[in-house]
Amino acid sequence: MFYKLLFLSFTVSFFIACGSSAPTPKIDPLALKESEGLVIKVPTIDTTSSTLSSEKTISDSIVPPEETTTSTTDSILEEKQLVVNPYRDIPALVEFVLKYADTLLSKGNSDSAAAYLEQFIVLKPLWDGWQAQAQDLYSKTKKTQALRAEEFKSLTLQILNMNSVGASFDLLKTFTDSLILMNPGDSLVFWAQKQNQIALQKNLKKARQEKEKILAEANKSNEFKTAQEQIVQLKTRYHYFEDSLQLQSTLVQLKEMEASISEQDKLFWQTNDPQKSLEQAEKWIAEKNYSKARTILIKLKSSALRQKSLEQMEVLAESFCNEERKKTSVLFQASQKTSNEIQKKKKLTEAIDGLNRCLEQYPEYSQKEKVISNRQFLEKELSR
């Protein structure tokens, strides 16, 4: 707050100094006596409520103290890194001036208000000069921007090309970091950061595709140890995607898949033909001999036809669970027709048992949610 008051005092003092050097006004701007000073509210920042919290008595003369020199103000601005926002601060200062003049007039001090406003009005020629200087400085700034853009053109093209061909995020980041360290300006820093985000998204998509390919290949070949080694390599290459890809969980999943294949099943396929066994399983599914089909398909998971067995397992689950749901529907309708409460509850219990068999034997069934919903409905009926 102290620095804002100091800045305000210095700026207003500067306005007065400019006004006093102009020949136009004949009224003495320091006409009021010091004892006639008015109480002016000065905004202060409260970190909790941001309200106007203090008042300061100042004289109409608004004469700055001797120690408030330009060099001292500059050093304070530099020390605190205070940057004036002209779009915000100049209109605020003008509003302060006009409100102060209006306050003088409302208190009957019209002479003082006129003198104070003349100090402001005579600034118009200076303002025109400031605008001309600002335009000149703006032109120089745009030229500097153009020169710097040419200076960084080669590096920015390299970064664009790397992103277009899907270079690794680590490699691209070395180039964007180099660009940022060269202090290229706000817009290029923002552009470099955006390129990093583009590279991250591309690398994440690529990593997911690699992960899915590894898992698909492991399902086909049963080479779970090889798949685990490939996932470990993926973790090393894409360490910054550990959370997004959940590679550690994938490793656990592969180990569980490996453990699910018994040595006895592996030996079974040394003397049996997987293709013939698969055809037999398909025949049993068609004949609704679900138990035998399920047993042979579980064994086939340890064979070279693992992927085919998984596909047929889904066909088996669909057929078995549909059969159980049909039975459930018949049992439910029968329970609604009987007036015997014992028989009604028995039929509902049998219907629920059928749905439970589906869920227990085929936990990966694609229509699992529908089966659970049907079971919940029957359980609600049973509890009545």
Side-chain angles (χ1 to χ4, degrees):
M1 181 60 205
F2 168 75
Y3 299 112
K4 287 192 175 181
L5 289 175
L6 188 60
F7 166 69
L8 180 62
S9 176
F10 173 73
T11 307
V12 176
S13 300
F14 178 71
F15 281 178
I16 295 171
C18 294
S20 61
S21 62
T24 306
K26 295 181 180 180
I27 300 175
D28 183 3
L30 309 180
L32 294 180
K33 296 178 183 178
E34 190 169 346
S35 59
E36 295 174 335
L38 297 175
V39 176
I40 304 298
K41 293 183 178 180
V42 180
T44 61
I45 297 178
D46 187 320
T47 56
T48 57
S49 60
S50 299
T51 58
L52 298 180
S53 60
S54 66
E55 294 186 350
K56 182 180 177 73
T57 303
I58 59 173
S59 168
D60 277 355
S61 62
I62 321 182
V63 178
E66 293 182 3
E67 63 271 20
T68 310
T69 62
T70 302
S71 60
T72 304
T73 304
D74 288 345
S75 64
I76 291 173
L77 294 180
E78 183 177 353
E79 178 187 348
K80 293 295 179 182
Q81 296 183 340
L82 175 62
V83 178
V84 175
N85 182 338
Y87 193 76
R88 177 196 65 205
D89 296 337
I90 292 177
L93 183 60
V94 171
E95 184 181 4
F96 177 85
V97 169
L98 296 178
K99 282 186 177 179
Y100 180 48
D102 188 57
T103 300
L104 291 173
L105 186 60
S106 66
K107 291 182 177 292
N109 299 319
S110 57
D111 291 342
S112 180
Y116 183 68
L117 286 170
E118 284 174 3
Q119 295 173 13
F120 179 72
I121 292 169
V122 296
L123 291 174
K124 187 177 184 303
L126 286 174
W127 178 261
D128 293 338
W130 293 334
Q131 285 288 308
Q133 290 178 42
Q135 287 292 342
D136 182 57
L137 187 57
Y138 181 72
S139 297
K140 291 178 182 177
T141 302
K142 297 303 288 183
K143 288 179 182 178
T144 301
Q145 285 180 323
L147 289 172
R148 299 217 76 188
E150 189 65 29
E151 178 184 349
F152 301 118
K153 185 177 180 179
S154 174
L155 186 53
T156 55
L157 285 175
Q158 279 183 286
I159 293 171
L160 280 173
N161 289 335
M162 290 171 69
N163 245 343
S164 65
V165 298
S168 70
F169 172 71
D170 282 346
L171 179 61
L172 183 130
K173 194 171 185 299
T174 60
F175 282 77
T176 54
D177 285 349
S178 296
L179 177 62
I180 292 171
L181 286 172
M182 293 167 71
N183 296 318
D186 302 8
S187 58
L188 270 180
V189 168
F190 177 77
W191 177 84
Q193 292 168 343
K194 185 177 179 180
Q195 295 305 307
N196 284 342
Q197 291 301 315
I198 292 172
L200 269 175
Q201 292 303 315
K202 285 188 173 183
N203 276 244
L204 179 58
K205 182 179 179 181
K206 183 179 178 182
R208 279 181 175 150
Q209 290 172 344
E210 289 185 44
K211 173 188 168 182
E212 290 168 4
K213 184 178 179 181
I214 291 169
L215 289 174
E217 190 60 36
N219 269 325
K220 289 179 182 178
S221 64
N222 284 341
E223 295 295 334
F224 298 114
K225 282 195 179 296
T226 301
Q228 289 173 51
E229 292 170 1
Q230 292 172 334
I231 292 294
V232 169
Q233 292 174 4
L234 209 62
K235 281 185 69 175
T236 303
R237 287 167 49 210
Y238 297 108
H239 57 89
Y240 37 84
F241 291 140
E242 179 64 34
D243 293 337
S244 300
L245 293 175
Q246 297 183 330
L247 295 177
Q248 188 58 42
S249 299
T250 304
L251 279 175
V252 173
Q253 179 187 351
L254 286 168
K255 288 177 181 177
E256 289 175 349
M257 291 166 74
E258 181 184 15
S260 69
I261 299 175
S262 68
E263 289 298 323
Q264 188 176 358
D265 286 341
K266 291 180 182 179
L267 291 172
F268 178 83
W269 299 115
Q270 292 180 7
T271 55
N272 292 272
D273 185 352
Q275 184 60 42
K276 287 182 179 179
S277 296
L278 181 65
E279 291 170 1
Q280 183 62 60
E282 291 173 355
K283 182 181 177 182
W284 279 333
I285 292 172
E287 294 173 354
K288 298 184 180 180
N289 196 337
Y290 300 126
S291 179
K292 287 184 177 181
R294 184 169 180 270
T295 299
I296 197 64
L297 285 175
I298 290 174
K299 280 186 176 294
L300 277 166
K301 286 183 180 181
S302 61
S303 73
L305 297 179
R306 177 183 174 83
Q307 185 61 35
K308 291 283 187 180
S309 73
L310 292 173
E311 292 170 3
Q312 283 304 309
M313 188 65 82
E314 179 60 30
V315 174
L316 172 59
E318 184 73 28
S319 181
F320 177 82
C321 289
N322 277 342
E323 192 74 20
E324 291 296 335
R325 290 173 70 188
K326 286 178 183 177
K327 292 178 183 177
T328 294
S329 178
V330 171
L331 287 167
F332 173 70
Q333 290 177 17
S335 73
Q336 299 301 298
K337 292 177 181 179
T338 181
S339 58
N340 188 314
E341 284 298 318
I342 295 176
Q343 286 297 316
K344 181 177 182 179
K345 289 185 181 297
K346 181 182 177 182
K347 292 183 184 301
L348 288 173
T349 301
E350 289 175 0
I352 292 170
D353 289 342
L355 296 181
N356 282 335
R357 283 193 293 273
C358 167
L359 295 171
E360 289 166 4
Q361 294 184 36
Y362 305 99
E364 303 301 324
Y365 177 45
S366 60
Q367 302 297 318
K368 179 180 178 179
E369 294 304 319
K370 285 185 179 179
V371 177
I372 292 173
S373 177
N374 291 339
R375 185 179 64 182
Q376 289 173 341
F377 171 77
L378 292 174
E379 287 172 342
K380 187 176 179 181
E381 287 290 319
L382 184 61
S383 64
R384 288 182 178 180

